[in-house]
Amino acid sequence: MSAASSLLSEDQFLCSICLDVFTDPVTTPCGHNFCKNCITEHWNIANQYQCPICAKFFHVRPDLRVNTFISEMVAQFRQTAQQEANSSSSEQQKSKPGEVPCDVCTGTRLKALKSCLDCLVSYCETHLEPHLTASRLKRHQLIDPVENLEGRMCMTHDKPLELFCKTDQTCVCMLCTYSDHKTHNFVPLKEEYAEKKAELGKTEAEIQQMIQKRRLKIQEIKQSVKLSKEDANREIEEGVLIFTSLKESVARDLNELIKTIEEKQKTTKKLTKVFIQVLEQEISELMKRSTEVEQLSRSEDHLHLLQSFSPLKDVPTTIDWTEVSVHPASYEGTVVRAVAQLEETLSKEMKKLIEAELKRVQQYEVDVTLDPDTANPSLILSDDGKQVNHGDVKKNLPENPERFSTGLCVLGKQSFSSGRFYFEVQVKGKTAWDFGVTRESINRKGLIILSPEDGFWTIWLRNGNEYEALDAHVVSLCLKSPPQKVGVFVDYEEGLVSFYDVDSAALIYSFTGCFFTEKLYPYFNPGLDDDGKNSAPLIISRVSHSK
């Protein structure tokens, strides 16, 4: 039973012998209370008169009478407890579909609070009370309510499933150990439960670790998206600034072009106007002389004609217009020069862009060293793994799958399967070389074909001045000047491999739309010595940030 009130506690009315609420409570001379029947049977069985609580011995059997005060208190407690029980029962939830109902309730079945594995019965809060108070029931194993408690009984022997057969990995009863599972290995359910629970704990820990890794990966992806967005915004801003500048430059050059042409046109127009004014003035004078000559020729006055003849007989002095002409203004080369100026402006802006891009990719510099286990036996590698050139003598080196057998090649020790990386190679003084990146699974024995299809993304120099990109189709490269140091940049996810002339900050070539699925390694080939003409080594150098 639950507590009847804040003043009446059930513990105050429990008999220490039956552990239930007093029935006909009596008080011993030592002051302890018991049910009359409980203490009487106790003394009858023991055949001596001793208090079960304080062990006080009585030589004469005490005359026990019902303690009316305690009896009244018990009656009051029972009444109050019953009222609360009735109230609690009415407040308890009725079992709903899918919920385990109480097996003891009659009529309206309430929702079960616990199931007893010993009784194989499910109890609501009210009917569970004895299991929480009675000592003989407290030892029963209670679990959260479950259906089909009969399923916890052995189908063969109708006994509780108390053991676990490790041999067959199944639950069995005690009698099974003497029949079908006679020679098998058994452990108590509790022991196997602890073991399986520990395994589940490990599984749960692994799952939580996997969840944590994936949450971290989500954060990493979100951060990557954030950085990508920032990069995109920065590129957009930069692009807007540059194209706005170019647009203004084009507009400015167009205005200059129009102004130049209009100035020429104005000059031509002004000169033409002067010529026309002079010509019109001469025409006016000639027309005036023509009128005078005509009038004189009509005169019949002999004296007047002879006297006026001399001033009018000669044509007025005028400019000889035979060699004078007005040609349209010459505009040849005006537009060409304007476009050339625009091209120069574009070239300057392009150089600024490449310089800025080169500085950005240089931030992804990695420390690359040459792997001697991959080097062709005819190559000489420096002790620090930063230089390689062709030697005169082929060394006797152990053969292994990683080593190049015929091609004068060597790979870097470092591999890359994600992200971005950059390294620089000094090529000063060389007449032939090829380098770039390659995938791990390339052919290292026999003939090597440098192409993306065969796992190589490279450029090369041949004959001192022939530069080519070895793409799906070989691309001839027209460089303004021979590069002394070449930078190699790779964006794994973007599928990009770019080569830069570091000193002039110029883009040499880019492989785009590449699809990488395995590890990438830096690749180097210093070329044949060529009687000393190409003896200079390829040198992996560090990025200089002095600019």
Side-chain angles (χ1 to χ4, degrees):
M1 295 181 184
S2 60
S5 68
S6 60
L7 297 177
L8 299 176
S9 171
E10 184 180 28
D11 294 339
Q12 296 173 301
F13 304 103
L14 291 181
C15 172
S16 59
I17 296 176
C18 69
L19 299 177
D20 205 345
V21 178
F22 292 125
T23 301
D24 296 331
V26 295
T27 305
T28 59
C30 58
H32 294 111
N33 301 307
F34 305 95
C35 295
K36 183 177 181 180
N37 188 54
C38 290
I39 190 63
T40 299
E41 287 186 4
H42 176 72
W43 284 344
N44 289 339
I45 294 171
N47 200 24
Q48 59 179 358
Y49 315 121
Q50 189 178 20
C51 178
I53 295 178
C54 66
K56 182 176 178 59
F57 185 78
F58 307 107
H59 296 285
V60 180
R61 183 175 187 134
D63 183 18
L64 300 176
R65 295 184 179 182
V66 175
N67 189 321
T68 56
F69 176 74
I70 295 178
S71 182
E72 290 175 359
M73 293 293 291
V74 169
Q76 182 181 349
F77 170 77
R78 288 182 185 277
Q79 182 180 2
T80 306
Q82 184 61 40
Q83 291 175 352
E84 290 191 357
N86 294 336
S87 175
S88 174
S89 177
S90 64
E91 292 176 358
Q92 291 182 52
Q93 293 182 350
K94 296 180 182 179
S95 64
K96 300 176 182 177
E99 294 179 339
V100 178
C102 175
D103 293 325
V104 183
C105 288
T106 58
T108 302
R109 301 180 70 185
L110 301 181
K111 176 183 176 183
L113 188 64
K114 292 288 182 182
S115 293
C116 177
L117 295 181
D118 294 88
C119 303
L120 296 179
V121 175
S122 296
Y123 298 101
C124 65
E125 183 177 355
T126 301
H127 294 120
L128 180 66
E129 193 67 28
H131 279 73
L132 303 178
T133 57
S135 59
R136 65 183 183 279
L137 298 177
K138 284 182 177 180
R139 293 189 292 269
H140 287 193
Q141 186 177 356
L142 298 176
I143 61 172
D144 289 335
V146 294
E147 293 180 337
N148 190 27
L149 285 169
E150 293 78 7
R152 296 175 178 270
M153 301 292 287
C154 176
M155 300 294 292
T156 304
H157 304 105
D158 198 28
K159 295 291 182 183
L161 299 172
E162 301 176 281
L163 300 174
F164 185 79
C165 176
K166 296 183 76 70
T167 305
D168 291 341
Q169 292 290 301
T170 186
C171 297
V172 297
C173 73
M174 191 64 69
L175 294 180
C176 289
T177 62
Y178 300 98
S179 56
D180 296 342
H181 301 266
K182 186 175 182 179
T183 60
H184 295 180
N185 183 20
F186 304 97
V187 294
L189 287 182
K190 187 175 182 180
E191 182 178 328
E192 186 66 20
Y193 165 82
E195 183 178 326
K196 289 293 191 287
K197 191 171 183 180
E199 290 181 12
L200 289 174
K202 291 181 181 178
T203 302
E204 175 65 14
E206 290 179 7
I207 292 173
Q208 290 299 325
Q209 189 175 15
M210 293 172 67
I211 291 172
Q212 184 62 21
K213 285 183 179 179
R214 279 149 183 78
R215 284 175 175 168
L216 291 174
K217 179 58 69 174
I218 289 174
Q219 292 179 1
E220 179 185 324
I221 292 172
K222 286 183 177 179
Q223 180 65 17
S224 178
V225 171
K226 180 182 177 183
L227 293 176
S228 177
K229 185 177 181 180
E230 290 175 356
D231 289 344
N233 290 337
R234 185 176 59 250
E235 289 295 320
I236 290 173
E237 289 176 5
E238 212 170 276
V240 169
L241 287 174
I242 291 171
F243 277 89
T244 300
S245 176
L246 289 175
K247 184 179 178 181
E248 291 173 352
S249 179
V250 169
R252 188 167 52 250
D253 290 348
L254 177 60
N255 289 335
E256 287 293 327
L257 173 64
I258 294 173
K259 185 178 179 180
T260 299
I261 294 174
E262 287 179 345
E263 286 294 331
K264 287 187 175 182
Q265 174 61 20
K266 284 180 181 179
T267 301
T268 302
K269 186 176 180 181
K270 187 176 181 179
L271 181 60
T272 302
K273 184 177 180 181
V274 171
F275 285 166
I276 291 174
Q277 286 177 347
V278 173
L279 285 169
E280 287 178 345
Q281 185 177 353
E282 288 186 348
I283 289 172
S284 177
E285 292 178 355
L286 289 173
M287 288 181 67
K288 180 181 179 182
R289 178 62 60 87
S290 175
T291 302
E292 291 176 348
V293 170
E294 183 182 357
Q295 289 177 351
L296 182 62
S297 63
R298 292 177 181 176
S299 175
E300 294 181 359
D301 185 341
H302 299 168
L303 179 63
H304 173 68
L305 186 147
L306 293 175
Q307 289 176 340
S308 302
F309 176 78
S310 294
L312 297 177
K313 71 174 182 175
D314 297 322
V315 177
T317 303
T318 58
I319 297 173
D320 184 2
W321 294 95
T322 306
E323 302 297 327
V324 176
S325 62
V326 177
H327 299 285
S330 175
Y331 303 109
E332 284 78 4
T334 305
V335 176
V336 173
R337 286 191 295 273
V339 173
Q341 180 65 37
L342 179 59
E343 185 179 7
E344 183 180 348
T345 302
L346 287 170
S347 179
K348 290 179 180 178
E349 292 296 331
M350 191 66 181
K351 183 174 178 59
K352 290 179 183 178
L353 279 176
I354 297 296
E355 287 176 351
E357 180 180 307
L358 182 57
K359 285 183 179 180
R360 281 200 300 272
V361 301
Q362 284 176 334
Q363 296 175 3
Y364 300 98
E365 180 188 15
V366 292
D367 185 14
V368 174
T369 52
L370 302 172
D371 185 359
D373 291 337
T374 66
N376 181 284
S378 297
L379 295 180
I380 300 174
L381 274 60
S382 63
D383 293 338
D384 62 359
K386 296 292 185 180
Q387 302 185 28
V388 58
N389 63 295
H390 179 225
D392 295 329
V393 180
K394 186 174 183 179
K395 297 186 291 294
N396 185 18
L397 297 176
E399 181 61 28
N400 59 61
E402 292 78 22
R403 191 179 305 283
F404 289 92
S405 60
T406 56
L408 296 177
C409 315
V410 60
L411 301 182
K413 287 183 179 179
Q414 295 72 22
S415 64
F416 306 90
S417 56
S418 65
R420 303 164 182 170
F421 63 94
Y422 173 88
F423 60 92
E424 292 182 352
V425 184
Q426 182 176 310
V427 296
K428 184 177 181 180
K430 295 192 66 60
T431 59
W433 48 256
D434 49 82
F435 58 83
V437 293
T438 181
R439 66 180 178 226
E440 185 177 28
S441 62
I442 54 167
N443 172 38
R444 308 187 189 198
K445 312 298 180 183
L447 179 64
I448 294 175
I449 300 175
L450 299 181
S451 72
E453 183 179 358
D454 292 280
F456 294 85
W457 291 267
T458 59
I459 62 172
W460 74 11
L461 167 66
R462 292 293 184 266
N463 303 319
N465 60 2
E466 297 175 7
Y467 296 91
E468 293 177 331
L470 306 176
D471 212 329
H473 300 286
V474 177
V475 180
S476 296
L477 304 174
C478 298
L479 307 183
K480 292 182 178 180
S481 60
Q484 303 298 303
K485 188 183 292 185
V486 177
V488 183
F489 173 69
V490 178
D491 188 327
Y492 195 97
E493 284 74 22
E494 188 69 21
L496 173 69
V497 181
S498 295
F499 296 83
Y500 297 88
D501 182 338
V502 176
D503 296 322
S504 63
L507 177 64
I508 297 175
Y509 189 77
S510 285
F511 292 85
T512 58
C514 308
F515 184 64
F516 303 128
T517 58
E518 55 185 276
K519 293 179 180 178
L520 296 180
Y521 287 84
Y523 162 85
F524 308 89
N525 183 336
L528 293 169
D529 178 83
D530 194 18
D531 296 328
K533 296 177 184 178
N534 192 38
S535 61
L538 284 177
I539 303 174
I540 302 171
S541 59
R542 298 304 302 270
V543 172
S544 173
H545 297 284
S546 59
K547 291 185 179 181

